[in-house]
Amino acid sequence: MAQTLTAPAADRLRPLRIPLGAGVLVLLVACGLSLMVGSTGTASPGQVLRALTGHADPQLTAAVTSLRLPRTVVALLIGAGLAVSGALIQGVTRNPIVEPSIIGVNAGAALAVALVTYTVGPLRLGGIGLMPFVAFAGAAAAAALVFVIVAGVDMTPGRVALAGVTVALLANALVMSVVVLNDNAIQFLLRYLVGGVDGANWSGVETLLPYTVIGLGGAFLLAKSVTVLSLGDDVARGLGLPVERVRLQALALVVVLAGAAVAVAGPIAMVGLLVPHMVRWSVGTSYLRVFGLGTVYGGALLVGADVISRIAIPNTEVPVGVLTAVIGTPYFIYLARRGRGVV
C-alpha cells in the first residue's frame, strides 16, 4: 500500500527552482525599472549603470542614487516584511484570509503614529527617531487587544478575523478623529495614512533594515514550528510543540515586521494577503519555503507596484498603498466567496 505523504513531505517533492528563479527574475526586472523610471524622466539601463558608478550627468546621478535607489530598497524591504508577516499570521491562526492589516496591526500602528504626531508633531517625531517605537507600540496594542477578545474561546479563523476587523475599524475611526482635530499636521497625516514609498530616503532604509532583518531571521528560525502549528493545535500539542509560546513569538515577529513597515511607509495593505497564497500555490505549505519564496515575491510585488504607481497617471503618482488595495481587493473577494478553510 502506498504511504500517504504529510504536507511538508509532499512539499519536498515540489520543484523549488522554477518558482524561485521566476521570482528572482521578476524582482530584478522590477528593481531595474524602478531605477530607470522617475519624475525627472526615464533613463536607459546604460545611463542607470553610469549613474550608479558616478559617471553620468550629475542631475541623473543624484536622482538615481539619492531618490530612486533608496526608494527601491525601501519598497523591497517592506514588501518582503509584509509578505512574511502575512504568512506568519495565516500560519498560526490557520486563517487564509488574514494579514496584519486585517487583524488590526496596521491600524494600531497608524493610530499610535497619528496620536504622537498630534501631541508632539511630525518633525520632532521623525527627528528624534521615535517613529518605529511608536508604531511598534500601536501594533502590539492592537494585536494584544485582538487576542484578548478571543481569549477563553475557541480561536477559530472566523473569530480572529472578526475581532481583528473590529479593532481595525475602531483604530481607523480614532485616526480619522485625530486627522480632523489636527489642522497643523493634516497634510502629513493624510499622506502618511494612504501608504507610500515616494518619500523614501536612506534614513528610511537605515530605520527599516535592522527590524526587517531581525523579523525575517526570527521567522526563518520559527518556520518549522509554524508548519506544525498550521496543522492544528491538537496535532501540534501531540507532537510536543509549545503552542502558546510559538503563537506569541510569531505575533511578536508580525508586530516587528509590520510595525517597521508602517513606521516608514504608512499602512500598506494586501501584500501580506496576496503573496502567501501565491507562494503556497507554488511550493506548498512548508513555511521554511513559504518564508523564503515570500521574501522574494513580496519584494517583487511592492517594487513592481511602486513602478506602476509612477506611470499609471501621467504627471502624477498614485500612492502605492492605494494600488496594492486595488490589486488585492478582487482576490480577497474571491477567497471570501470560495470559502474553503476560512471558518
Side-chain angles (χ1 to χ4, degrees):
M1 181 180 294
Q3 184 178 4
T4 302
L5 292 173
T6 62
D11 292 341
R12 285 195 290 269
L13 299 180
R14 297 193 184 188
L16 180 62
R17 287 179 295 178
I18 294 176
L20 180 59
V24 171
L25 179 60
V26 172
L27 176 59
L28 291 175
V29 171
C31 289
L33 291 173
S34 182
L35 296 178
M36 293 166 57
V37 178
S39 59
T40 58
T42 301
S44 67
Q47 289 175 316
V48 169
L49 289 175
R50 287 193 294 272
L52 291 174
T53 57
H55 296 96
D57 175 80
Q59 183 179 2
L60 179 61
T61 298
V64 171
T65 58
S66 300
L67 299 176
R68 299 180 192 176
L69 184 56
R71 179 171 179 168
T72 302
V73 175
V74 165
L76 173 59
L77 293 174
I78 290 177
L82 291 178
V84 172
S85 65
L88 268 170
I89 199 68
Q90 289 175 15
V92 298
T93 62
R94 303 186 308 282
N95 188 341
I97 62 167
V98 299
E99 63 151 352
S101 66
I102 294 174
I103 66 165
V105 171
N106 285 7
L111 175 60
V113 171
L115 288 174
V116 173
T117 303
Y118 178 68
T119 56
V120 179
L123 296 179
R124 287 188 61 194
L125 180 64
I128 59 178
L130 284 179
M131 187 78 86
F133 303 103
V134 170
F136 291 153
L145 181 57
V146 169
F147 283 91
V148 166
I149 291 173
V150 298
V153 298
D154 186 17
M155 192 181 294
T156 63
R159 285 196 177 102
V160 174
L162 182 59
V165 169
T166 302
V167 171
L169 288 173
L170 174 61
N172 284 327
L174 294 174
V175 167
M176 290 299 103
S177 299
V178 172
V179 171
V180 170
L181 293 173
N182 193 358
D183 292 336
N184 294 329
I186 190 168
Q187 292 299 324
F188 166 80
L189 286 173
L190 286 176
R191 188 153 189 84
Y192 168 80
L193 293 171
V194 171
V197 295
D198 51 302
N201 51 35
W202 288 114
S203 176
V205 175
E206 293 174 0
T207 298
L208 189 62
L209 184 60
Y211 300 109
T212 304
V213 170
I214 291 171
L216 293 179
F220 281 107
L221 291 175
L222 208 62
K224 291 184 178 180
S225 296
V226 176
T227 300
V228 175
L229 187 56
S230 68
L231 301 176
D233 287 8
D234 293 338
V235 173
R237 288 192 178 96
L239 294 172
L241 187 74
V243 171
E244 287 75 16
R245 188 177 72 188
V246 170
R247 185 170 281 126
L248 183 61
Q249 290 170 338
L251 183 61
L253 293 173
V254 170
V255 168
V256 170
L257 290 168
V262 174
V264 172
I268 297 177
M270 294 297 177
V271 177
L273 175 69
L274 287 174
V275 175
H277 281 274
M278 295 165 57
V279 171
R280 283 193 292 265
W281 180 82
S282 301
V283 297
T285 56
S286 169
Y287 275 83
L288 187 60
R289 289 179 161 216
V290 170
F291 295 156
L293 200 57
T295 300
V296 177
Y297 279 28
L301 175 62
L302 198 59
V303 174
D306 183 45
V307 172
I308 296 173
S309 74
R310 303 179 209 177
I311 62 176
I313 301 178
N315 302 320
T316 189
E317 287 192 17
V318 179
V320 73
V322 173
L323 193 59
T324 57
V326 170
I327 294 171
T329 298
Y331 189 67
F332 184 87
I333 294 173
Y334 161 73
L335 290 176
R337 289 183 62 84
R338 187 180 64 173
R340 289 179 296 179
V342 174
V343 294

